[in-house]
Amino acid sequence: MKTLSKSEIQFLLLKLHSLTGIIPIGLFLVFHLGFNSLRTVGVQQYQFGIDLINNMPYLLWIEVLCIHIPILFHSFMGFYVAYQGKFNVFRYAYPRNWMYTLQRVTGGVVFLFLVYHIGTTLFPKMIEGKHLFEASPFLIGIMNEQMSTWSGRLIYLVGILSATFHFANGLWGFCISWGLLIGKDAQRNAGIAFMFVGLVLALWGVATMAAFALDPVSVEPVFSKGMSL
Amino acid sequence: MSQTVLIKIRRKDNPNAAPYWETFELPEKPFANVISCLQDIQKNPVNIGGVRVKPVVWDCNCLEEVCGSCTMVINGKVRQACAALIDPLEKPITLEPMSKFPAVRDLQVDRARMFKDLEQAHAWIDIDGTHDIGEGPAIDQETRHKAYELSQCMTCGCCLESCPQYTLDNNFLGPAVFSQARYFNMHPTGAMHKDKRLEPLMKEGGIANCGNAQNCAAVCPKHIPLTESIAEIGRQTTFHLIKKLFVE
Ligand code: HEM
Ligand code: HEM
């Protein structure tokens, strides 16, 4: 096999950046907001959802390989890509140029949000060793607390709106970069359709926040430590 | 009393000199355009302070918006000076050289990078060798129509000047080159060297560096569907990549 030049590797890394935005990160976002929205149905249903995930085999491997490493890679490449460009949206104030700019800004905002969000959920969960059925009461307690303050709500609102916009607009960029959307009208129509996708995701997230904020119920583990099924 | 127009020009005495602004006041003439004003300045290079200065340098050639050489930044937006009528422009008028190409002098820049990049992307159709290989296949009406649209590119640089991904010091090829690669790839004879055109676009500075800001198509004076070309090249390179990774 022929070895790749530095220049060809850069191309492949950019393609991988684009791909990781959809698979797995975009998929994760959809599932994550979807699972969390179970909270709007009821706290038991939500607990059941978290239990389901936290009792999955090889959970740590799945999380590290399919979520954490891709997000780190996408973020690292994202900052690299963002620094390569030069914003000119005030000179050329076209709608699409705004989207281009926002794509980069929201990427940075999502990164900051993730540091805070993972630092206040996954991280304490690992530190305090809350696994299996212990995890959901612990995490639900944390979310109740975060959604009880306006600063917490603001952080989540900004995080959710940024992530959903970034994903929706990213879906559009992805389809063009990989050649799925060619014609001018097709690009415009898909852009509108993807914004609806983003809107639905954002509503999901905001409804979840509202459920936590308006009705902070705490739960007990379904099974206690040491008990086996 | 006749009306006058103020023209503010961002000047530079040589490639390494510091830029400075100089304002000229000209009598307003009917149907004047930016080039005719620059010609008036050249005839009588006296600035608004009454000082006789070095005449302003600019590039131009065809004077009918088909050669691309008089491209400059007029009132903050890139376009051809010859097609910029004075009457509808907001006053005072500002003229700046394009910022994404090395400066030569005043409004003159060096667009050589564009031509080098076209060469890199094999943006031509190979001719026959020492012997005649016969007539090429006929091209259908629809393809010819699209090809005509793409053929109008005059390598003026508007798309690159407005592109946030294209900078003075990176090696991004930019929309004009992608569109030309598409143009020659859609020609039945040109398609025989399709891969030769796609390979250079699959490197650093290639198609993956496009950020889909779509300013290119918005400023293109020829209304070339550049964003469509970008997506089409995206598709061709995707297939080429799959072929390279999983088929060959
Ligand atoms: C309604 C809003 C949200 C809620 C209630 C929520 C809740 C949670 C909870 C409870 C965890 C810990 C999961 C566990 O360790 O088992 C978590 C992890 C995580 N969240 Fe969120 N989240 C929300 C929004 C978001 C958004 C918008 C993003 C996207 C940027 C996001 C990205 C993540 C990531 C990357 C993790 C770590 C994944 C892992 O467990 O390995 N979350 N979230
Ligand atoms: C919830 C997490 C994230 C998701 C779901 C996500 C998703 C996406 C998607 C789908 C794309 C489109 C790819 C393309 O245009 O081909 C994209 C592009 C981009 N992402 Fe993310 N991303 C996330 C986090 C981040 C972070 C943390 C950064 C860090 C700055 C970032 C920076 C970027 C940049 C700069 C682009 C534009 C790439 C380009 O247009 O060439 N993203 N993202």
Side-chain angles (χ1 to χ4, degrees):
Chain A
M1 205 188 116
K2 114 181 152 48
T3 53
L4 293 168
S5 69
K6 202 179 138 235
S7 171
E8 284 165 322
I9 290 170
Q10 202 248 22
F11 173 80
L12 290 175
L13 288 179
L14 284 174
K15 285 314 245 188
L16 202 57
H17 171 243
S18 172
L19 188 63
T20 52
I22 306 287
I23 307 166
I25 309 174
L27 264 182
F28 163 77
L29 184 67
V30 173
F31 279 110
H32 190 58
L33 290 174
F35 257 97
N36 276 313
S37 73
L38 282 173
R39 180 63 184 80
T40 61
V41 182
V43 76
Q44 260 77 42
Q45 286 85 339
Y46 186 53
Q47 180 176 16
F48 174 71
I50 301 185
D51 281 347
L52 196 70
I53 296 170
N54 274 287
N55 288 294
M56 261 175 30
Y58 304 109
L59 179 65
L60 192 66
W61 286 101
I62 296 172
E63 285 187 338
V64 171
L65 291 178
C66 300
I67 307 173
H68 305 158
I69 291 178
I71 287 184
L72 277 176
F73 170 79
H74 183 89
S75 307
F76 175 80
M77 284 299 289
F79 281 115
Y80 165 76
V81 168
Y83 279 111
Q84 289 234 314
K86 251 173 122 174
F87 296 150
N88 60 9
V89 71
F90 294 112
R91 197 173 265 251
Y92 299 98
Y94 308 123
R96 268 293 150 209
N97 201 16
W98 273 109
M99 301 297 225
Y100 165 91
T101 310
L102 280 176
Q103 184 71 7
R104 278 137 186 82
V105 172
T106 51
V109 172
V110 171
F111 185 78
L112 293 179
F113 169 73
L114 281 176
V115 171
Y116 173 81
H117 181 54
I118 294 180
T120 54
T121 54
L122 180 63
F123 195 64
K125 184 187 98 170
M126 304 287 269
I127 295 288
E128 307 215 359
K130 303 283 184 187
H131 301 303
L132 304 170
F133 292 103
E134 296 270 297
S136 62
F138 180 71
L139 291 168
I140 289 172
I142 290 176
M143 289 313 299
N144 282 334
E145 200 188 301
Q146 293 194 325
M147 287 306 117
S148 68
T149 65
W150 280 108
S151 58
R153 291 167 193 165
L154 186 69
I155 291 172
Y156 272 80
L157 184 67
V158 171
I160 290 168
L161 292 182
S162 300
T164 51
F165 170 84
H166 187 89
F167 174 63
N169 191 49
L171 210 53
W172 178 86
F174 175 88
C175 289
I176 292 178
S177 307
W178 292 79
L180 297 167
L181 270 176
I182 309 273
K184 210 177 153 181
D185 292 347
Q187 291 184 8
R188 192 205 49 223
N189 296 342
I192 296 169
F194 289 151
M195 276 303 136
F196 273 107
V197 172
L199 200 66
V200 169
L201 288 177
L203 286 177
W204 250 4
V206 173
T208 309
M209 280 176 60
F212 275 111
L214 298 174
D215 182 25
V217 187
S218 53
V219 293
E220 293 297 318
V222 172
F223 294 97
S224 58
K225 214 175 200 157
M227 213 172 146
S228 62
L229 280 168
Chain B
M1 199 187 83
S2 69
Q3 293 270 1
T4 62
V5 261
L6 287 182
I7 300 189
K8 250 180 95 181
I9 302 177
R10 193 176 158 89
R11 307 194 58 178
K12 200 174 178 144
D13 292 340
N14 65 60
N16 304 314
Y20 59 94
W21 287 97
E22 192 147 59
T23 306
F24 297 88
E25 188 171 20
L26 304 171
E28 193 170 322
K29 294 180 184 169
F31 307 114
N33 63 30
V34 169
I35 294 288
S36 75
C37 288
L38 285 168
Q39 285 170 338
D40 285 344
I41 292 173
Q42 196 177 35
K43 280 181 223 150
N44 181 30
V46 176
N47 71 16
I48 195 165
V51 182
R52 199 167 185 83
V53 293
K54 283 170 272 190
V56 179
V57 175
W58 78 95
D59 264 335
C60 72
N61 185 18
C62 75
L63 302 184
E64 52 180 354
E65 207 179 36
V66 290
C67 79
S69 62
C70 67
T71 309
M72 58 183 74
V73 178
I74 301 171
N75 282 352
K77 290 234 167 78
V78 69
R79 58 188 294 191
Q80 274 74 51
C82 67
L85 289 172
I86 296 300
D87 193 36
L89 287 178
E90 204 179 298
K91 318 286 182 318
I93 296 163
T94 61
L95 304 181
E96 294 165 80
M98 283 197 279
S99 62
K100 304 287 179 78
F101 299 96
V104 176
R105 188 174 163 177
D106 293 341
L107 299 169
Q108 200 177 34
V109 296
D110 179 3
R111 290 181 295 132
R113 174 173 163 194
M114 287 190 82
F115 301 97
K116 278 202 212 92
D117 288 347
L118 282 171
E119 252 176 67
Q120 263 200 62
H122 202 83
W124 63 86
I125 291 176
D126 301 69
I127 53 164
D128 297 354
T130 47
H131 58 286
D132 181 7
I133 55 174
E135 271 178 33
I139 306 174
D140 63 86
Q141 184 66 30
E142 208 178 308
T143 311
R144 265 186 298 175
H145 187 79
K146 187 54 80 185
Y148 178 68
E149 273 182 43
L150 305 181
S151 74
Q152 294 176 94
C153 177
M154 52 190 180
T155 327
C156 66
C158 283
C159 55
L160 306 176
E161 176 67 14
S162 67
C163 174
Q165 295 286 99
Y166 192 92
T167 60
L168 198 53
D169 45 24
N170 69 10
N171 55 7
F172 183 38
L173 294 169
V177 168
F178 301 145
S179 195
Q180 289 301 294
R182 176 194 184 198
Y183 172 51
F184 291 110
N185 276 359
M186 70 197 275
H187 188 280
T189 317
M192 292 171 184
H193 298 89
K194 212 170 169 177
D195 293 356
K196 241 182 173 165
R197 290 188 199 95
L198 296 179
E199 292 275 344
L201 310 186
M202 297 168 72
K203 294 202 166 124
E204 186 174 355
I207 188 72
N209 283 64
C210 169
N212 294 313
Q214 303 208 330
N215 291 353
C216 53
V219 299
C220 177
K222 294 286 148 189
H223 309 291
I224 296 170
L226 292 167
T227 47
E228 210 179 276
S229 293
I230 287 168
E232 174 59 35
I233 288 297
R235 171 176 289 191
Q236 292 180 15
T237 49
T238 298
F239 281 121
H240 193 64
L241 184 66
I242 292 171
K243 197 173 90 181
K244 267 181 33 172
L245 288 179
F246 303 114
V247 182
E248 274 168 8

